[in-house]
Amino acid sequence: MFDNQALQTIIANAIAAANQTIVTGGHALAVVPEGVKLHNLEPYQLHRDRFRGALRTHSLADFARYVERHTTDESMPAGFVDQDGMSATVLFNLGTLSEPGHADDSATLTLKPTAAYVALQGVVGKALSQQALAEFLEDWMPHLMAGAGDESIPMPQAINAVRRMTIKATSTQNSEVGDLSARRSAMDEIEARSLEVMPTTFIFTARPYEALEPASITLRVSVITGRDEPLLKLRWVGEEAQREGFADEFKRVLDSAVGGLVPLTIGTYQQGK
């Protein structure tokens, strides 16, 4: 008499020996006994079953050369541009609708912001002390121009104006007396002044990303009072529109570099399961 384990073993061996395959709805299903493990023999072969890998780089030139070397008529690659992330991915074995590929051979370019652009983003929109703003202006003086209204101000003078700012507070009291009433009010006025002509605008010119052209970013200066010492804030004028411009330029530069080799689509791609 067979015990349960022996019976299960006989059934499993019979299923394995039958080697049954079911094709339904475009899917191939194999009938195998429970507990069977599949072993990939590719690591023991002289060559891999197919070429696959993932290049990641910040260099547009290296990205373009890699795409050119790996593009063939048979591979039919496709490129996807993520303008929000300033990145692009080319899939070399995406295949076609009738013959889809595995999409596991790719090259990804992610533009790296320049040091100047990173420094700018670190101060824009933040409340800065006189010392912090003056040091930023000194560090990046070659990239900056200053102005007050329609007049330009030499950068050393503009930095000196930031350093020499003072707070002036004045108080005004009003008193009104009637036959049956009396009313008093007080108004405090706080003003930040500088011994030099205070700049109201800075123009910061630099490449936002290595692959893009230099851009001139307008920064409006505002002063926050109400403390013992003033705080200053730089507001990027037209920030959203200018960032969209960077993304559009990235698409144009990328299209010029690899558009003749690979069709480019705006968006990101994820292989379905």
Side-chain angles (χ1 to χ4, degrees):
M1 179 178 290
F2 294 107
D3 58 18
N4 185 57
Q5 183 176 358
L7 183 58
Q8 292 295 330
T9 301
I10 293 174
I11 295 174
N13 290 334
I15 294 175
N19 193 24
Q20 291 294 314
T21 301
I22 301 174
V23 178
T24 174
H27 297 282
L29 307 176
V31 181
V32 297
E34 185 179 358
V36 170
K37 295 183 179 180
L38 298 177
H39 295 275
N40 183 13
L41 301 181
E42 185 184 39
Y44 305 99
Q45 299 172 178
L46 183 60
H47 302 289
R48 305 185 79 182
D49 292 336
R50 66 181 188 281
F51 187 93
R52 59 192 184 275
L55 169 73
R56 300 186 183 278
T57 181
H58 298 300
S59 170
L60 175 61
D62 291 331
F63 177 79
R65 282 192 292 268
Y66 186 88
V67 171
E68 183 177 6
R69 290 197 306 266
H70 284 70
T71 298
T72 63
D73 294 336
E74 293 77 19
S75 62
M76 292 176 291
F80 301 90
V81 183
D82 180 5
Q83 289 183 297
D84 293 333
M86 299 298 281
S87 66
T89 298
V90 172
L91 300 175
F92 296 100
N93 59 342
L94 184 61
T96 63
L97 291 176
S98 58
E99 296 180 343
H102 290 273
D104 55 1
D105 183 18
S106 65
T108 299
L109 167 70
T110 303
L111 291 192
K112 187 176 182 180
T114 62
Y117 189 54
V118 171
L120 174 65
Q121 294 184 96
V123 297
V124 165
K126 296 182 179 179
L128 306 171
S129 66
Q130 290 173 259
Q131 179 74 14
L133 179 57
E135 289 178 351
F136 169 77
L137 299 176
E138 289 171 345
D139 290 344
W140 300 99
M141 189 186 303
H143 296 269
L144 286 158
M145 292 189 302
D150 296 331
E151 298 182 4
S152 61
I153 303 174
M155 279 304 301
Q157 181 180 333
I159 295 172
N160 197 36
V162 171
R163 288 190 177 277
R164 301 182 68 183
M165 288 181 63
T166 58
I167 292 292
K168 179 182 178 182
T170 58
S171 179
T172 303
Q173 289 189 349
N174 298 320
S175 178
E176 181 180 341
V177 179
D179 292 336
L180 300 175
S181 64
R183 184 175 63 183
R184 293 179 179 176
S185 64
M187 180 178 65
D188 293 331
E189 181 179 351
I190 301 175
E191 182 181 4
R193 291 184 176 181
S194 176
L195 300 178
E196 304 282 352
V197 178
M198 185 64 190
T200 58
T201 303
F202 290 102
I203 305 295
F204 190 92
T205 303
R207 292 178 183 270
Y209 299 89
E210 289 295 341
L212 305 187
E213 293 297 319
S216 294
I217 297 171
T218 301
L219 304 171
R220 193 79 68 191
V221 182
S222 60
V223 181
I224 304 172
T225 59
R227 304 189 180 197
D228 294 337
E229 62 177 23
L231 295 177
L232 299 103
K233 183 179 291 188
L234 299 177
R235 181 177 65 85
W236 183 344
V237 180
E239 178 178 1
E240 291 301 321
Q242 202 157 13
R243 287 185 183 275
E244 288 180 1
F246 297 159
D248 291 338
E249 184 182 357
F250 171 52
K251 172 64 167 56
R252 293 194 300 271
V253 169
L254 190 66
D255 190 63
S256 176
V258 300
L261 301 170
V262 179
L264 298 176
T265 301
I266 301 297
T268 59
Y269 178 82
Q270 182 176 356
Q271 185 83 338
K273 296 182 178 180

